Amino acid sequence: MSDLYIPRLVALIEQASKANSEAFGQVASRFADTLQNGGLIHLYGSGHSVLPAQEMFPRYGSYVGFNPLTDPRVMWHNVLGAGGVRELLWLERTEKYAEKFLDHQPLNKGDSIIIFGHSGRNSSGIDTALYAKKRGIFVVAVTSKNNLDKPATHSSGKRLADAADLVIDTCSPIEDAVVPIEGWSRPVSGSSTVLAMIMAHELLARTAEQLSKRGIELPVFASPTIAGVTLHDTDVIYGVYRERMIDAQKKHLPTFQATMRGE
């Protein structure tokens, strides 16, 4: 029996590689600018789209400068009940909720952000994009352009792709699942999360290459399975990350204070 899922996914990866060849370079150049200037590349998603954000940082092979914005209320921990999917799906569709979370995050002018979202229609991702743009942040949407035929439902009239500066197209089909099963009415095996992770790793690699060409090397998490690498090496990098976060929080403090005063 031949594979059902893998060849379909490989075809989508190749399609996305060609579709984004120019955008990958543009985004990597802007990301390198952000990191070279001491800024952060923030990562945001809700539901399954949290997973690419977590995949990018921290992990072996990644480096200091990425900041995952993980809100536990838009991540599920149970199928039903508290922390469950049903509540999450309601919350990520509720406009203005994300702003309350983002007010506390060190989002500064000159930073960049990647927002992951397959459909690009949830309020959570769109609100985050609009919020980031107001802060002078370069916004990248990793989404499927196949969903652009659907009308916007957000009160702004925008979809995630409309609210971003640049779009990376995962090329995932509208239904997400890619394997038709004879006798079943719906396809199975989702593709969007895997494709979003692959797009993210391409950006991560290209950004590192851009920085290298500028003579810049950032601390990279190396697996302690490598001879000579220890867990202490990882702790050293956490220390560098912490310093960069403290700098970002200090820079963000006046904005936070003004927001809390209602200005």
Side-chain angles (χ1 to χ4, degrees):
M1 181 179 181
S2 59
D3 292 334
L4 297 177
Y5 179 72
I6 294 173
R8 288 177 170 82
L9 186 67
V10 169
L12 288 171
I13 294 170
E14 292 174 346
Q15 182 182 345
S17 175
K18 294 177 182 175
N20 297 298
S21 59
E22 184 176 349
F24 279 144
Q26 293 174 324
V27 173
S29 179
R30 292 294 299 269
F31 282 2
D33 291 343
T34 291
L35 296 178
Q36 184 175 5
N37 293 326
L40 293 170
I41 300 171
H42 306 280
L43 311 162
Y44 184 83
S46 62
H48 271 104
S49 294
V50 171
L51 299 177
Q54 292 182 309
E55 172 68 8
M56 283 195 79
F57 191 87
R59 72 140 19 254
Y60 297 135
S62 187
Y63 46 89
V64 171
F66 295 98
N67 178 39
L69 303 171
T70 48
D71 179 354
R73 287 157 294 198
V74 293
M75 308 160 62
W76 65 71
H77 313 281
N78 287 311
V79 177
L80 299 173
V85 181
R86 188 164 178 263
E87 291 85 346
L88 152 68
L89 292 176
W90 178 82
L91 197 56
E92 72 174 356
R93 289 167 171 76
T94 302
E95 291 190 25
K96 305 296 183 184
Y97 164 73
E99 294 179 0
K100 301 303 179 188
F101 166 73
L102 295 169
D103 282 342
H104 300 261
Q105 304 303 322
L107 303 171
N108 294 309
K109 184 177 181 180
D111 287 354
S112 298
I113 187 170
I114 307 177
I115 302 171
F116 300 96
H118 169 63
S119 72
R121 300 173 76 218
N122 288 334
S123 297
S124 177
I126 298 168
D127 283 347
T128 299
L130 296 174
Y131 185 100
K133 291 288 288 287
K134 288 180 182 176
R135 300 287 188 204
I137 294 169
F138 175 60
V139 178
V140 175
V142 176
T143 186
S144 173
K145 288 186 177 179
N146 288 316
N147 287 298
L148 291 180
D149 290 339
K150 296 179 180 178
T153 55
H154 193 271
S155 62
S156 67
K158 296 180 183 294
R159 295 155 296 194
L160 176 57
D162 303 319
D165 292 302
L166 276 174
V167 176
I168 299 296
D169 184 8
T170 63
C171 296
S172 178
I174 293 174
E175 60 270 37
D176 204 327
V178 294
V179 180
I181 301 296
E182 186 176 354
W184 285 34
S185 60
R186 303 287 186 187
V188 300
S189 298
S191 63
S192 65
T193 306
V194 179
L195 288 164
M197 288 185 180
I198 291 170
M199 300 302 107
H201 278 293
E202 185 65 34
L203 289 174
L204 187 149
R206 292 196 183 212
T207 301
E209 183 183 55
Q210 288 276 338
L211 289 167
S212 174
K213 290 178 178 177
R214 302 179 190 187
I216 299 170
E217 180 180 5
L218 294 177
V220 177
F221 279 108
S223 171
T225 57
I226 300 171
V229 177
T230 68
L231 284 176
H232 176 66
D233 297 318
T234 305
D235 287 341
V236 170
I237 295 177
Y238 282 129
V240 177
Y241 168 75
R242 179 65 172 158
E243 290 175 14
R244 188 173 283 235
M245 290 301 297
I246 289 173
D247 289 343
Q249 291 285 6
K250 287 180 179 176
K251 188 176 179 181
H252 177 256
L253 183 58
T255 300
F256 175 71
Q257 291 171 325
T259 302
M260 294 302 102
R261 289 193 296 266
E263 298 175 1

